[in-house]
Amino acid sequence: MILKKSKTPFWASSKVSIVALLSLSMLVLSGCYSFRGASLDPNLKTIQIQNFAFQTAGGPANLSLTFNEKIKEYFQRNTSLKMTNSNPDLMFEGAITGFDVEAQAPTANDKGGLNRLTIRIQVKFTNAKDENKNYDQEFSFYQDFPQTQTITAAQGTLIPKILDQIVLDIFNKTAGEW
């Protein structure tokens, strides 16, 4: 009797072998990378986010409301913390302190080729369980837009992007291990 050599690779001879090989590969690869993100103490249960006041000239009248809703929504969506108005474990308070438009990238005519909208927000964070994590810090971010466009026309797309980044920066400062 002559044995024929199979042209099929040894690992493809059965479905069970393939599943075992894939499972082993995933197990080995999962040890190579770990996700790091929110690292809030599991003893933290409640959060209070006071309304941030609008303490600057310029900008839309609803900017404070927009920011307040964005930060509350982000923490509710990305943590298990419950909103409260009394004796919170974590508390945020502060104010929108800057809404500035400045010319950037001057052209040959000494005019701005781009304008830059910068929003600054002062945040005071209090952790009732660990005062070493408290901070009082300014967060800011900007977006550029063409000088041919007015701030009124541009702010509808710029403000959400800027506020999203500031909220992310606040969250990372509070709960992230970057």
Side-chain angles (χ1 to χ4, degrees):
M1 178 173 177
I2 301 175
L3 294 175
K4 283 187 171 181
K5 193 170 186 179
S6 173
K7 293 182 181 179
T8 307
F10 75 95
W11 50 267
S13 61
S14 75
K15 290 181 182 179
V16 175
S17 296
I18 293 171
V19 170
L21 184 62
L22 287 174
S23 297
L24 181 61
S25 297
M26 289 179 67
L27 183 62
V28 168
L29 291 175
S30 69
C32 298
Y33 183 79
S34 66
F35 292 98
R36 300 184 77 186
S39 62
L40 291 173
D41 183 334
N43 295 322
L44 297 171
K45 305 292 183 206
T46 59
I47 186 171
Q48 180 180 11
I49 300 175
Q50 294 186 353
N51 289 331
F52 282 65
F54 193 65
Q55 296 179 348
T56 187
N62 68 343
L63 183 60
S64 181
L65 176 64
T66 302
F67 175 74
N68 291 325
E69 292 306 312
K70 278 188 178 289
I71 192 167
K72 287 175 184 177
E73 178 189 337
Y74 196 89
F75 273 86
Q76 286 178 322
R77 192 175 59 234
N78 293 291
T79 71
S80 60
L81 299 170
K82 303 293 180 219
M83 292 288 172
T84 186
N85 289 325
S86 62
N87 300 321
D89 296 329
L90 304 177
M91 185 170 70
F92 289 94
E93 53 192 320
I96 299 171
T97 57
F99 186 93
D100 304 313
V101 178
E102 298 173 332
Q104 301 291 315
T107 63
N109 305 3
D110 215 18
K111 292 182 179 177
L114 291 175
N115 288 328
R116 176 171 289 171
L117 170 61
T118 303
I119 298 176
R120 291 187 315 277
I121 301 177
Q122 188 68 36
V123 177
K124 181 179 180 189
F125 170 71
T126 306
N127 183 328
K129 305 278 186 184
D130 184 357
E131 66 182 40
N132 292 326
K133 302 214 174 172
N134 296 351
Y135 62 84
D136 192 349
Q137 177 180 331
E138 180 181 89
F139 292 86
S140 67
F141 199 71
Y142 66 87
Q143 288 282 304
D144 293 335
F145 62 100
Q147 62 96 207
T148 56
Q149 193 175 27
T150 66
I151 184 60
T152 305
Q155 68 188 16
T157 57
L158 301 179
I159 290 174
K161 291 176 185 177
I162 294 170
L163 294 182
D164 285 345
Q165 185 61 51
I166 291 173
V167 167
L168 181 61
D169 291 346
I170 292 168
F171 182 81
N172 288 341
K173 169 77 177 180
T174 306
E177 290 184 355
W178 307 112

